[in-house]
């Protein structure tokens, strides 16, 4: 039976880059069936809500989700904020699908080393993965409100041991599949939630004696990512710190247009349910011009094959084809070249053959 993939193209360059990723997926496997649904501003315009019930239902009935991006200036001022694409679609989608583990690899392709804004330190080029807790912490904690006639604002950071334990296990499992090194990043000198993270991560680590791990404060980690990014293998961290550090790590690789991501739930039978999307947003400034770099979405599709469908060889074939295309000179506009979206896909497909 084919695997079902819900495709949510979304806004801006989202539809352009998801089309390319589907083309690449189709060229390596005929075991996937795609079902396209509305999300984000496009859904708001069509049916008055950024996350229609039918979209959520189709996602829940699928084996994986491929998302483009949502949002744009057209929908930034909609009231109430719950109807805006990011707040009204992305956050509830993550919550409803229980996508608590966000994986953001930041690796620089050899052909692009000169594109990095940092000079690499003693440990060499960046090749790390941020394992970010995605459904807890300050983005979801209650109360979130204004008080005293709007003069005071409150956000709340909450974590339970269960939430920390499951993401910590994911982090250590991933470290085992990589270079067996893990930094658990927090602000334990100030935050109670960070001290709970330390307690739980120390317990979980006992089951992973083969992984070399340590705690690091988030401010130090932000600095080390610029000073010597090659020292990191797995960065395990909570929701907001992961949001910020993964963007920083992304930028060290040179372009946001290259970086994939996976947000995973628990296994369903033999498969892990996940949502796969590029690390970048909807890039309204270049939407509709055929110049978006589709590589981040194509590499997200490769992550889908690896994590949700256990198609490791097909995933590696796509990653190799991207690397070879870059070696042979493929450069989209964001990488300083003049290849368009379709040219990039064509170069990757040529290297797949
Ligand atoms: P962005 O990532 O969309 O764009 C930042 C810059 O990078 C822009 O100059 C853009 O042209 C460029 N860029 C991004 N992706 C590119 C690609 N594939 N190829 C070439 N250039 C690329 O971030 P932003 O401008 O801060 O946000 C734009 C909109 O996207 C906002 O509405 C924001 O809320 C939304 N957003 C959505 C998601 C998501 O859907 N997961 C994530 C981030 C931002």
């Amino acid at each position: 039976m084919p695997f079902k993939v819900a495709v949510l193209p979304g806004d801006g360059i989202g539809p352009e880059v998801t089309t390319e990723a589907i083309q690449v997926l189709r060229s390596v496997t005929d075991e996937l069936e795609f079902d396209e649904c509305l999300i984000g501003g496009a859904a708001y315009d069509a049916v008055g809500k950024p996350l229609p019930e039918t979209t959520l239902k189709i996602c829940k009935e699928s084996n994986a989700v491929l998302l483009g991006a949502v949002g744009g200036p057209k929908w930034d001022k909609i009231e109430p904020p719950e109807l805006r694409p990011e707040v009204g679609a992305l956050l509830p989608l993550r919550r409803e699908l229980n996508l608590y583990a966000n994986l953001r690899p930041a690796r620089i392709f050899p052909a692009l080393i000169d594109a990095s804004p940092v000079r690499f330190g003693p440990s060499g080029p960046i090749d790390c993965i941020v394992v970010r807790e995605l459904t807890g912490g300050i983005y979801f904690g209650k109360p979130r409100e204004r008080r005293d006639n709007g003069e005071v604002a409150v956000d709340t950071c909450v974590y339970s041991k269960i939430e920390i334990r499951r993401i910590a296990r994911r982090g250590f499992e991933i470290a085992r599949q990589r270079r067996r090194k893990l930094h658990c990043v927090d602000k334990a000198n100030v935050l109670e939630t960070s001290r709970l993270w330390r307690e739980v991560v120390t317990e979980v680590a006992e089951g992973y004696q083969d992984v070399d791990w340590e705690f690091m404060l988030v401010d130090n980690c932000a600095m080390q990512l610029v000073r010597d990014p090659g020292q990191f293998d797995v960065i395990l961290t909570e929701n907001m710190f992961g949001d910020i550090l993964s963007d920083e790590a992304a930028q060290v690789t040179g372009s946001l247009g290259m970086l994939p991501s996976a947000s995973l739930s628990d296994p369903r039978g033999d498969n892990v349910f996940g949502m796969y999307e590029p690390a970048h947003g909807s890039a309204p400034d270049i939407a509709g011009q055929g110049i978006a770099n589709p590589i981040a979405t194509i590499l997200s599709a490769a992550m889908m094959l690896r994590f949700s469908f256990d198609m490791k060889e097909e995933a590696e074939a796509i990653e190799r084809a991207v690397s070879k295309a870059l070696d042979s000179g493929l450069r989209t506009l964001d990488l300083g070249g003049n290849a368009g979206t379709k040219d990039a896909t064509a170069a990757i497909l040529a290297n797949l053959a």
Side-chain angles (χ1 to χ4, degrees), residues 4 37 53 58 75 158 169 179 192 244 248 269 277 285 288 291-292 298 302 328 343:
K4 283 176 72 173
C37 321
E53 285 83 12
I58 290 172
W75 305 282
V158 184
R169 286 199 186 118
R179 303 194 303 278
E192 198 53 42
I244 299 165
E248 186 187 354
E277 60 181 307
D285 52 333
I291 55 173
I298 290 171
S328 345
D343 304 325

Side-chain angles (χ1 to χ4, degrees), residues 9 34 55 81 92 101 174 235 319 339:
F34 301 96
T55 297
I174 289 167
I235 295 176
E319 288 158 356

